[in-house]
Amino acid sequence: TPPASGANPTILADEELRIGEVEGGGPATFGRIRTIAVLEDGRIAVGDAQAEEVRLFDRDGQYLRTFGGKGGGPGELQGMQGVYLDPEGLLRVPEQENARLSIFDPDTGFVRSYPLYLFSYSFRGPWTAAFDSAGRTLVASAGRFGEGRYWNMLRTYDRDMLQVDSVPYYDYTDDGSRDHPGVWKIAVGRGTLHVGVPFYPMPQETLSPTGEFWTSSDGAQELEVARWTPPGDTTLVIVSHRPAVQVTDAERDSAMAEITGRLEGRIPSEARLNASKIPSFRPPVQGLSLDDHGRLWARLSGSGVEPTVYDIFNRDGTHAETVSLPFSVDESIPPITRGDELWAV
């Protein structure tokens, strides 16, 4: 059920509140926001990975208190990958370097920690997790499975963060023979450097509280998203026939120059990047997320672009709305929606 051609919005968002200062050094000066969490009463928790802190603000943006701080002791944080609201109204903070999940009460502070190894492959965060109606934690993870090979898998933990299940669904072990069209492989010493090809439509993914994934198609020129349950039962495919946006020669040249400059001194001088790998069209989708009704938000706008535009699809795949936000949303942090309100970084 494709929407009309062109990203003409049916909903224009009005900004009501902004928290953050470029200068000042106070609690509203953020270093690197991983994620945010919005409590039922409207309070906003911001996970700042640079300071290793969770800062709490009221619904009007007034600062309330801070949890965490760098360290490995109880209530301290190291390598935080975001802050998440669980079904009990507590704040969960996964820590990669401390290999644990710390729990905070938004009113009283630190509650407890659970050991949790954050399995990863090219881990960049934030944590990809969801909470189901039984209070279990579902985590998009990775790890070894079967004869030392590496797999993506869905791990399920009970309320006490004991793992109760894991379902491997994709073997990503690289023996050097794979040649992905979206990656340049460059031999560096005894290893291999993987460099992403500009404008290549890498698959985007989001995890639902029901244990289903929504994943966009690798390399597709138009928006195509599948809903599926590990290890691979596909239950729905959405296809949108919006016109593809062409990559100009100037954009290709600029992207190649930026990558070449970044790699200067890191790779052998004889290494050459095959420019023909760069697609002729921009990626049709830049990110996926779900709202409080389980509807899919497909981000159409690229990084740093204003406004940020999303196509919203109902659970049956029909197009519901096209929403335009009057600012550039951080592409690694999905917005949070509740009713007709939205919070974004």
Side-chain angles (χ1 to χ4, degrees):
T1 56
S5 64
N8 299 315
T10 59
I11 294 178
L12 297 173
D14 291 324
E15 184 175 316
E16 297 182 342
L17 174 68
R18 180 175 291 232
I19 304 172
E21 302 169 351
V22 177
E23 298 177 354
T29 302
F30 305 113
R32 185 171 74 249
I33 298 176
R34 272 297 193 199
T35 59
I36 58 175
V38 181
L39 282 68
E40 292 299 326
D41 59 9
R43 286 180 293 174
I44 303 165
V46 181
D48 190 320
Q50 180 172 299
E52 302 285 5
E53 293 177 347
V54 176
R55 299 174 194 162
L56 194 65
F57 300 82
D58 69 17
R59 65 174 301 112
D60 297 317
Q62 299 300 308
Y63 170 72
L64 297 173
R65 61 188 66 91
T66 294
F67 306 127
K70 294 183 180 181
E76 296 177 332
L77 304 172
Q78 195 70 32
M80 72 173 307
Q81 300 301 321
V83 55
Y84 300 84
L85 182 69
D86 73 11
E88 298 177 357
L90 301 175
L91 300 173
R92 297 190 174 203
V93 183
E95 307 172 64
Q96 189 172 36
E97 292 179 34
N98 284 334
R100 68 188 182 190
L101 181 74
S102 290
I103 312 295
F104 294 87
D105 185 296
D107 296 309
T108 61
F110 177 70
V111 178
R112 69 182 76 89
S113 291
Y114 296 106
L116 178 65
Y117 179 72
L118 299 183
F119 299 85
S120 63
Y121 173 65
S122 298
F123 195 92
R124 290 173 295 184
W127 203 42
T128 303
F131 306 103
D132 70 9
S133 57
R136 297 180 303 179
T137 303
L138 311 176
V139 181
S141 183
R144 290 189 176 188
F145 178 82
E147 299 181 354
R149 300 187 69 81
Y150 292 88
W151 289 70
N152 287 346
M153 58 182 67
L154 179 66
R155 299 178 188 270
T156 304
Y157 299 85
D158 65 14
R159 289 179 177 270
D160 295 322
M161 292 306 297
L162 295 175
Q163 183 172 312
V164 296
D165 198 8
S166 62
V167 182
Y169 58 85
Y170 175 68
D171 178 359
Y172 64 80
T173 305
D174 186 359
D175 57 7
S177 62
R178 293 180 178 178
D179 182 22
H180 192 282
V183 176
W184 285 303
K185 287 186 177 182
I186 305 170
V188 180
R190 296 183 178 179
T192 302
L193 182 65
H194 295 72
V195 180
V197 175
F199 305 111
Y200 182 83
M202 298 296 287
Q204 305 293 323
E205 192 169 86
T206 189
L207 173 64
S208 79
T210 57
E212 297 168 305
F213 283 97
W214 296 78
T215 307
S216 64
S217 295
D218 187 4
Q221 284 193 13
E222 60 184 7
L223 187 152
E224 182 176 301
V225 181
R227 184 181 68 206
W228 56 280
T229 303
D233 285 336
T234 300
T235 57
L236 179 72
V237 176
I238 297 173
V239 179
S240 170
H241 300 293
R242 286 196 182 279
V245 179
Q246 195 159 10
V247 176
T248 67
D249 291 341
E251 289 172 331
R252 292 166 63 94
D253 293 343
S254 176
M256 283 295 293
E258 191 275 331
I259 290 176
T260 301
R262 183 155 42 92
L263 294 177
E264 189 174 355
R266 297 183 59 197
I267 64 174
S269 58
E270 68 272 12
R272 294 289 183 268
L273 302 180
N274 181 7
S276 66
K277 274 196 167 188
I278 300 179
S280 300
F281 297 93
R282 289 180 171 273
V285 58
Q286 301 282 346
L288 300 174
S289 57
L290 299 171
D291 64 16
D292 58 333
H293 295 295
R295 301 184 304 176
L296 179 72
W297 286 51
R299 175 175 174 152
L300 307 181
S301 306
S303 174
V305 175
E306 296 182 3
T308 308
V309 180
Y310 296 85
D311 268 344
I312 305 177
F313 297 91
N314 295 314
R315 278 194 56 81
D316 64 359
T318 55
H319 177 255
E321 305 284 356
T322 297
V323 175
S324 176
L325 308 182
F327 46 81
S328 175
V329 176
D330 188 307
E331 63 179 337
S332 67
I333 305 174
I336 295 173
T337 55
R338 194 172 295 156
D340 61 358
E341 290 186 293
L342 177 145
W343 295 260
V345 177

